[in-house]
Amino acid sequence: MKGQNKEKLRALSPDSSSNPFDVLTEEVVLKILDYLDNDEYPSARKSFSLTCKTFYFIESGHRKTIKPLRAELLPRTLHRYPFVSHLDLSLCPCVDDSTLNMISSTWKATLHSINLSRSRFFTNVGLSSLFVNCSGLVEVDLSNGTELTDLAASAIAEAKNLERLRLARCKLITDMGIGCIAVGCRKLRLLCLKWCLRVGDLGVELIALKCKGIRSLDLSYLPITEKCVKSVLQLQHLEDLVLEGCHGIDDDGLSTLEQSCKSLKMLNLSNCQNVTHTGLSSLTNGAQQLQQLILAYGSVVSLKLPKVTSDVAKCLHTFSKLQSIKLDGCLITSSGIKALASLHASIKELSFSKCLGVTDEGLSFLVQSHKELRKLDITCCRKIKYMSIDSITNSCTSLTSLRMESCSLVPKEAFILIGARCSCLEELDATDNEIDDEGLKSISRCSKLSILKLGICSNISDEGLANVGSYCSMLTELDLYRSMAISDAGIAAVADGCPALEMINIAYNGKVTDNSLISLSKCLMLKALEIRGCPGVSSIGLSAIAVGCKQLTVLDIKKCFNINDNGMLPLAQFSQNLKQINLSYCSVTDVGLVALASLNRLQNMTILHLAGLTPNGLAAALLACRGLTKVKLHASFKPLLPQSFLKYMEARGCVFHWRDKAFQKEMDPKGWKLHFGRSTEVP
């Protein structure tokens, strides 16, 4: 067998006789390629294929997934990679019928999935060619196809083996088109119709009647009633049902239902304003497998009367396998908390984000009954204090995620308890809280911590960050937005101790200078950097980031007045993975912007109030940047740019967002406090 593989290698490579890698069997080479086939090494496969001709040919045959930067690169891709099964065109805004014809003729025997969720300009003609020729297609994403009509739906119906179909925001498709899909695509397992506003009861009923194998169904914001819900609940394999924002569904209609789907595991009734505990009880009657229940921003748990509370408790008591309950934005009374505490199910996740009525007494009582809790979200529960954190950390010692943004009455001493008792913590959001260095020192004991958000935490300093850098080596995301006591020393400690860091936000920290960026340049995995409003950074620090952090994809340097063209040139040379940049208020001119246009992956630019930018320079840069899909510009540029230019850019897939904001040199120092509902003024 090994001899045969060696012969294959020789057959593939014309110069195999002098190839030092010829001793490797094909299995070994393919194993290497499997290892390189992940997001951590985006350019590794290319480097591998350039090693020698043998590796070049083997890599061509091995690659199954393609995500081209632009549609015009597809012809070369089609020629080199003959066995592609997964094609992601989400970076290609311009995909016309001829492109789909080319794809369907080249990969008709191998293509299994295609993503067209960000693509436009194709019609039912191109789709028909795709689905007729590529009979092996099992997954298609046509989300955001706002111009697709029932003719496109009839083309989709040709995909007889289709199992997963996403049509979110296809607002022109009607019941007739969905009926065609139902008849033609009998093997569907997943269907997303979110925001398909012309699809009603008839279309959904046809899906339920014809596609008996459906397991996941998203009907969010459809103008449907209980009429089609009755048919949906008869699907014997249905596991996930999303009815978010379906205002046509109400208690009276749901009361006619005899029994829910026995296989249902997840139910989302968010934003269903006309459904209360009565409708919930009818909808879930018999759903013994239910594991996740989402009732955010609805009326189900607006528990105003004790008898309503007891009814909700009775409804939820039957779900012995329930693990996750999300009640974001709802009104919860003490009786409602007690009802949740009395559940016999082993609850692993609770979300009370922006819930009114959550108190120390209620929350403490609840967590004592659910000690196996792993994730808890109490964002903006502004009444809780030390007592809640004491009870949470004492009862739920296996907690892995705690989100408590803007719990401003929680004292700094409470954060010491989190680190001392919750050693398994992986995520902590303490944004806009009183946490201090002692609290950070305690939290740094959580060695598995990967996400730490400390924005608007004025009591923390470099001393606390030093502990995070010393003991939280698995940290991937750090938010220090407006934590203004932080300086270069703290950032250096994090950069030295957290080599896996992928995202950091140090916006509006006046003590941060180029030294911080030079330190962060050692974080080779860094993908997102936000340094807006940091007057101490300049092109020198940004250049270090460009050279060291080659995986950088998102960069925000808004109001970094000392960054100029000298910072753009290194970005253009080294930051080949950059996809999104905010240059507003910087000192960048035409020269720097044109330099950035050489970045092949750049898609999203925000360019407001650049004093050195001219209409000609802007037009030249945008024309050269061929991958752009979204640009934010000041409205003053609109009459200065030729209409023919704007139409050409839009035809190429670029969407312009015009802003008429006045020049703002510095953000109102109290603005963020008002935004977060806080004020330091004494009445």
Side-chain angles (χ1 to χ4, degrees):
M1 178 63 101
K2 290 183 179 180
Q4 291 176 350
N5 289 325
K6 230 176 169 185
E7 288 300 321
K8 290 179 182 178
L9 285 174
R10 290 195 181 98
L12 282 168
S13 175
D15 64 344
S16 58
S17 59
S18 59
N19 182 3
F21 298 102
D22 193 41
V23 294
L24 299 177
T25 65
E26 187 175 3
E27 285 85 359
V28 171
V29 177
L30 294 177
K31 283 290 184 182
I32 295 172
L33 280 171
D34 288 337
Y35 180 75
L36 297 178
D37 196 14
N38 60 62
D39 294 335
E40 291 185 21
Y41 311 102
S43 60
R45 290 184 65 106
K46 182 177 180 181
S47 300
F48 177 92
S49 66
L50 296 176
T51 303
C52 62
K53 289 185 178 180
T54 298
F55 283 12
Y56 180 89
F57 286 109
I58 292 178
E59 195 272 337
S60 295
H62 178 270
R63 188 180 288 246
K64 300 297 186 296
T65 301
I66 295 290
K67 189 176 182 179
L69 298 176
R70 297 188 301 276
E72 54 262 38
L73 300 176
L74 268 174
R76 189 167 56 186
T77 303
L78 291 164
H79 175 72
R80 178 173 176 185
Y81 301 108
F83 303 117
V84 168
S85 57
H86 304 283
L87 178 61
D88 186 347
L89 295 175
S90 58
L91 299 181
C92 304
C94 294
V95 176
D96 56 19
D97 289 342
S98 62
T99 302
L100 292 183
N101 289 335
M102 183 170 52
I103 291 169
S104 62
S105 61
T106 303
W107 291 322
K108 59 184 177 182
T110 61
L111 195 63
H112 291 160
S113 72
I114 186 169
N115 185 345
L116 292 162
S117 62
R118 299 291 176 183
S119 306
R120 294 181 290 162
F121 305 115
F122 58 85
T123 69
N124 60 289
V125 176
L127 289 176
S128 180
S129 173
L130 180 69
F131 295 124
V132 169
N133 290 324
C134 301
S135 58
L137 270 173
V138 295
E139 182 172 9
V140 175
D141 191 343
L142 293 169
S143 299
N144 305 304
T146 54
E147 297 180 2
L148 297 179
T149 65
D150 287 341
L151 290 175
S154 63
I156 297 170
E158 299 291 337
K160 305 300 181 183
N161 293 308
L162 200 60
E163 296 180 6
R164 296 178 292 279
L165 175 63
R166 292 174 175 85
L167 296 172
R169 297 182 184 84
C170 293
K171 298 181 180 181
L172 297 182
I173 293 180
T174 70
D175 289 336
M176 183 177 295
I178 297 301
C180 292
I181 293 173
V183 172
C185 306
R186 300 290 186 96
K187 296 182 180 180
L188 275 180
R189 300 291 182 270
L190 178 149
L191 178 61
C192 176
L193 297 174
K194 185 175 184 178
W195 287 110
C196 293
L197 301 180
R198 297 192 181 188
V199 177
D201 287 330
L202 177 59
V204 176
E205 281 185 300
L206 288 171
I207 288 291
L209 179 65
K210 300 294 184 179
C211 304
K212 297 294 187 180
I214 288 278
R215 285 171 168 76
S216 178
L217 187 59
D218 189 342
L219 306 176
S220 300
Y221 299 99
L222 265 59
I224 57 175
T225 68
E226 74 286 346
K227 184 180 179 182
C228 72
V229 174
K230 185 175 182 180
S231 299
V232 168
L233 294 181
Q234 293 176 1
L235 292 168
Q236 296 182 3
H237 303 287
L238 186 65
E239 296 180 356
D240 300 337
L241 177 60
V242 183
L243 297 173
E244 180 178 355
C246 293
H247 301 305
I249 298 176
D250 57 26
D251 286 349
D252 291 339
L254 293 178
S255 65
T256 63
L257 301 177
E258 296 179 359
Q259 194 173 34
S260 181
C261 178
K262 294 181 179 180
S263 59
L264 197 64
K265 293 182 179 180
M266 188 281 287
L267 175 63
N268 187 343
L269 284 173
S270 299
N271 259 316
C272 289
Q273 301 295 332
N274 299 318
V275 179
T276 68
H277 68 282
T278 304
L280 174 64
S281 180
S282 300
L283 190 57
T284 56
N285 180 28
Q288 299 299 321
Q289 303 299 317
L290 196 66
Q291 297 177 7
Q292 183 178 18
L293 186 60
I294 305 175
L295 306 173
Y297 302 100
S299 60
V300 172
V301 285
S302 295
L303 308 179
K304 299 179 181 179
L305 301 171
K307 64 178 182 181
V308 175
T309 301
S310 60
D311 287 337
V312 172
K314 183 179 179 181
C315 172
L316 300 184
H317 263 301
T318 60
F319 308 136
S320 60
K321 296 185 179 181
L322 194 61
Q323 297 182 11
S324 173
I325 304 176
K326 297 185 179 182
L327 308 173
D328 302 349
C330 294
L331 171 64
I332 309 237
T333 65
S334 57
S335 55
I337 288 285
K338 290 179 180 178
L340 294 172
S342 65
L343 296 178
H344 298 305
S346 178
I347 304 297
K348 299 293 193 303
E349 179 179 12
L350 282 172
S351 185
F352 297 123
S353 177
K354 301 179 182 178
C355 284
L356 298 176
V358 178
T359 63
D360 277 342
E361 292 76 13
L363 193 55
S364 298
F365 183 75
L366 176 63
V367 296
Q368 289 173 22
S369 301
H370 296 294
K371 296 185 177 183
E372 296 183 9
L373 207 61
R374 297 293 187 272
K375 297 182 179 181
L376 178 63
D377 190 340
I378 48 175
T379 297
C380 294
C381 292
R382 302 183 189 277
K383 293 183 179 181
I384 67 170
K385 302 176 184 177
Y386 180 92
M387 178 181 175
S388 287
I389 305 302
D390 184 24
S391 298
I392 291 169
T393 56
N394 190 48
S395 300
C396 308
T397 56
S398 297
L399 209 62
T400 60
S401 174
L402 177 59
R403 299 179 181 178
M404 50 180 297
E405 176 183 343
S406 296
C407 295
S408 50
L409 295 182
V410 174
K412 58 185 180 182
E413 293 81 9
F415 291 92
I416 297 176
L417 302 178
I418 297 175
R421 298 173 179 174
C422 300
S423 60
C424 298
L425 205 64
E426 298 174 10
E427 177 185 10
L428 174 64
D429 186 350
T431 303
D432 191 23
N433 273 286
E434 298 300 320
I435 184 173
D436 63 2
D437 288 339
E438 285 300 312
L440 267 187
K441 181 179 180 181
S442 178
I443 287 168
S444 66
R445 300 179 190 177
C446 305
S447 59
K448 297 180 181 179
L449 199 65
S450 61
I451 299 175
L452 180 59
K453 298 185 179 182
L454 301 169
I456 322 178
C457 293
S458 56
N459 297 328
I460 63 171
S461 70
D462 294 338
E463 181 182 347
L465 273 190
N467 286 288
V468 173
S470 296
Y471 301 107
C472 301
S473 60
M474 298 176 66
L475 199 68
T476 60
E477 182 176 338
L478 178 62
D479 188 347
L480 297 169
Y481 170 84
R482 283 194 180 275
S483 295
M484 290 178 280
I486 299 300
S487 71
D488 295 334
I491 302 301
V494 170
D496 288 338
C498 307
L501 196 67
E502 296 181 4
M503 178 274 174
I504 187 167
N505 184 347
I506 49 178
Y508 297 106
N509 286 314
K511 295 182 179 181
V512 168
T513 71
D514 284 335
N515 289 330
S516 287
L517 301 190
I518 293 171
S519 298
L520 288 171
S521 68
K522 294 179 289 187
C523 299
L524 304 183
M525 305 301 294
L526 195 66
K527 296 179 180 177
L529 174 63
E530 184 165 346
I531 51 175
R532 67 164 63 189
C534 293
V537 302
S538 72
S539 297
I540 296 174
L542 186 59
S543 298
I545 289 291
V547 173
C549 306
K550 292 185 174 60
Q551 304 307 319
L552 195 68
T553 58
V554 178
L555 177 63
D556 190 338
I557 52 176
K558 178 181 178 180
K559 294 188 178 180
C560 293
F561 306 112
N562 294 319
I563 291 180
N564 54 30
D565 294 340
N566 292 332
M568 299 302 102
L569 299 177
L571 279 179
Q573 182 177 358
F574 298 105
S575 300
Q576 295 300 312
N577 291 301
L578 195 64
K579 296 179 181 178
Q580 178 178 324
I581 189 169
N582 188 341
L583 297 166
S584 302
Y585 296 87
C586 292
S587 300
V588 176
T589 69
D590 295 346
V591 175
L593 199 61
V594 170
L596 287 180
S598 65
L599 296 174
N600 289 327
R601 289 178 170 82
L602 193 59
Q603 297 175 275
N604 190 328
M605 298 180 74
T606 301
I607 316 169
L608 300 174
H609 298 295
L610 294 188
L613 189 63
T614 67
N616 288 339
L618 175 62
L622 297 183
L623 279 172
C625 195
R626 300 194 58 81
L628 281 179
T629 59
K630 181 179 178 182
V631 178
K632 287 185 182 179
L633 290 170
H634 196 271
S636 60
F637 273 105
K638 192 171 185 179
L640 303 178
L641 296 170
Q643 284 299 309
S644 57
F645 163 77
L646 295 177
K647 289 182 179 179
Y648 172 76
M649 291 297 296
E650 290 172 354
R652 212 166 69 176
C654 182
V655 177
F656 288 98
H657 294 261
W658 302 100
R659 297 291 184 264
D660 194 17
K661 288 186 176 181
F663 185 87
Q664 186 180 26
K665 185 175 181 181
E666 186 176 6
M667 185 176 180
D668 179 359
K670 294 181 181 179
W672 65 267
K673 292 182 180 291
L674 295 175
H675 174 72
F676 280 91
R678 300 178 67 187
S679 177
T680 56
E681 296 183 5
V682 179

